[in-house]
Each structure stands twice: as structure tokens, then as C-alpha cells.
């Protein structure tokens, strides 16, 4: 499994302006609150523990994390958020999957349909593109002189991971979805700090778009990620590294 350029894409997204980081914290905060609803104890709520790990990997302050969890018993109590996933196509036939948390299905579906249509894409039916992706757990660890590839591979095997991809600056550790929580806890227990730790969708194959369509596609991604209801956007487009240096 190749993770080439994937981490660079993530770094580019995370390296945007403070306003974008604030929006990311807001999205993760909602995810924390939803995961904590009914059980705010990460020791017995593995989904909440996973989202906390994701928040920490994104450098979300502990105060923000705690406030988001407390929201589950407060203002979120009378608001019913649903996890909904949309599938569709971007310009050039690119496959796109959009995961959302929303309290208004019609608003969210309408917003996503409008964004995609404006940028040469369209919403598809359930299953129209998801077969092109694999559900995986992904844990990213910084590549340092103190941590060799052999050491991280041994730890990953002990944790139950499927694969380790060594990039120039990071190690990408892939797991199956059922194993992710336990693998994450095991690696945390070994003292590893994560640059990323979350469930994700990995395209089985990537496509390249010509420059004009690539620009349109990137604009669509930006608009989708700016939407408050959108949590994650997955796609199968190869994003050139030279465009990822923010």
C-alpha cells in the first residue's frame, strides 16, 4: 500500500491560516460532543477516545477538548446530530466521499449538491463510488533519528497493524477498522506521539487531472471543507506536491 504524498496533502491542509485551524477545531469539537453523548468517559467509550486522539494529533488545546465533551450534556442535549455520508463525482470523473455531522439533512444535502454542481461535479447514489475506497485506520508518526523503521515496524506488528509505509518525514501505520482503537492505545502506551490518528478512507487507485480541471477540483474541495456540516472529504485525485506547500 502506498501512502506517497498523502501526508503532504494533510500537512498542506493543516498548515493553513489560523481561521482555517479554528474551523477545524470547531468540526472536531462537534465530533467530540457527539461521541461523548451518553458516555463522556473515554476509558469506557472507545469512539470518544479515538476522537480525543484525533484532536490531540491536530494540536487542539486540552481546554477545548474538555469543553467539547461537556457540551454533550449541555447545549447539544436538545440537538440531534446525525452522521451522514454522501458520495459523488468531481470534475473529470473524480470519486468523492463526504462525511458530515448535521442537524438538518435537507440543508446539508442542498449545500453539498450546490457546491459540487457549481464545480462540475454531481452527487451520486449510495455505493456509487465507495467501492473504490478502503476503510482504514491511519496513525502517522514523525520520522525522527531516535525512531528507526525497524523499531516502528516491530511496534506496529505488535499493535496489530496491517502495514507501515516509511516516507521521508513520517511513518504511516495502517490498520483495519476493528483493530484501530486497540492499536492506537498500544502505540500510545509505548510513548509514541501522533501527527494523525483517525479512521479514514483510502482510494484503491488514484487519478490525475489536467491543470484546469485540477484547479476546479481543488476549489470544490476548499468549498466543501469550509462547510460547517462537513467533517471529512475523501477523494481519489493525485494532488501534485508542488501545490501543497502552503
Amino acid at each position: 500500500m502506498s501512502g506517497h504524498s498523502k501526508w503532504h496533502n494533510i500537512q498542506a491542509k493543516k498548515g493553513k491560516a489560523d481561521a482555517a485551524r479554528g474551523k477545524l477545531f470547531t468540526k472536531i469539537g462537534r465530533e467530540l460532543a457527539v461521541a461523548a453523548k451518553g458516555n463522556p468517559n473515554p476509558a469506557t467509550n472507545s469512539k470518544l477516545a479515538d476522537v480525543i486522539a484525533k484532536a490531540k494529533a491536530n494540536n487542539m488545546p486540552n481546554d477545548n477538548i474538555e469543553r467539547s465533551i461537556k457540551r454533550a450534556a449541555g447545549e447539544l442535549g436538545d440537538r440531534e446530530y446525525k452522521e451522514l455520508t454522501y458520495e459523488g463525482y468531481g470534475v473529470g470523473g473524480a470519486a468523492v466521499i463526504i462525511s458530515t455531522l448535521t442537524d438538518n439533512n435537507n440543508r446539508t444535502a442542498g449545500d453539498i449538491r450546490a457546491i459540487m454542481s457549481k464545480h462540475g461535479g454531481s452527487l451520486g447514489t449510495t455505493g456509487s463510488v465507495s467501492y473504490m475506497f478502503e476503510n482504514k485506520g491511519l496513525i502517522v508518526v514523525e520520522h525522527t533519528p531516535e525512531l528507526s523503521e525497524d523499531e516502528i515496524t516491530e511496534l506496529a506488528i505488535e499493535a496489530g497493524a496491517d502495514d507501515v509505509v516509511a516516507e521521508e518525514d513520517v511513518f504511516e501505520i495502517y490498520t483495519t477498522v476493528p483493530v484501530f482503537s486497540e492499536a492506537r492505545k498500544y502505540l500510545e502506551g509505548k510513548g509514541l506521539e501522533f501527527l494523525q490518528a483517525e479512521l479514514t478512507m483510502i482510494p484503491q487507485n488514484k487519478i490525475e487531472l489536467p491543470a484546469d480541471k485540477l484547479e476546479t477540483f481543488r476549489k470544490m474541495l476548499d468549498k466543501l471543507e469550509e462547510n460547517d456540516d462537513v467533517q471529512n472529504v475523501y477523494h481519489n485525485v493525485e494532488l501534485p506536491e508542488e501545490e501543497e506547500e502552503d
Side-chain angles (χ1 to χ4, degrees), residues 15-90:
K16 288 183 179 179
D18 288 344
R21 181 171 292 277
K23 182 172 282 289
L24 177 63
F25 287 171
T26 299
K27 291 175 183 288
I28 296 176
R30 182 184 292 187
E31 198 172 344
L32 282 164
V34 170
K37 193 172 183 180
N39 181 4
N41 183 0
T44 55
N45 182 342
S46 61
K47 183 173 182 180
L48 175 58
D50 289 343
V51 182
I52 290 173
K54 174 181 177 179
K56 289 182 176 179
N58 281 279
N59 298 316
M60 188 172 183
N62 286 331
D63 286 349
N64 293 39
I65 294 173
E66 291 172 7
R67 279 199 303 271
S68 296
I69 293 173
K70 288 177 181 177
R71 282 184 59 214
E75 63 194 71
L76 192 68
D78 60 350
R79 302 183 72 177
E80 190 64 38
Y81 281 95
K82 293 182 180 179
E83 297 181 63
L84 295 176
T85 300
Y86 298 89
E87 301 180 34
Y89 301 91

Side-chain angles (χ1 to χ4, degrees), residues 115-188:
I115 291 170
M116 297 185 76
S117 177
K118 183 177 180 180
H119 296 88
S122 62
L123 275 180
T125 57
T126 300
S128 58
V129 302
S130 55
Y131 70 92
M132 303 180 195
F133 295 76
E134 290 183 276
N135 289 295
K136 289 285 184 180
L138 174 60
I139 297 169
V140 180
V141 179
E142 186 176 5
H143 194 160
T144 65
E146 295 78 26
L147 190 62
S148 71
E149 184 174 349
D150 287 343
E151 289 172 323
I152 196 69
T153 299
E154 183 176 348
L155 286 172
I157 292 172
E158 291 172 357
D162 284 351
D163 193 15
V164 176
V165 176
E167 298 288 0
E168 183 178 348
D169 49 354
V170 297
F171 295 108
E172 297 175 349
I173 302 168
Y174 294 90
T175 77
T176 61
V177 172
V179 167
F180 174 71
S181 292
E182 289 301 319
R184 176 190 55 73
K185 284 192 286 187
Y186 181 86
L187 295 172
E188 279 180 346

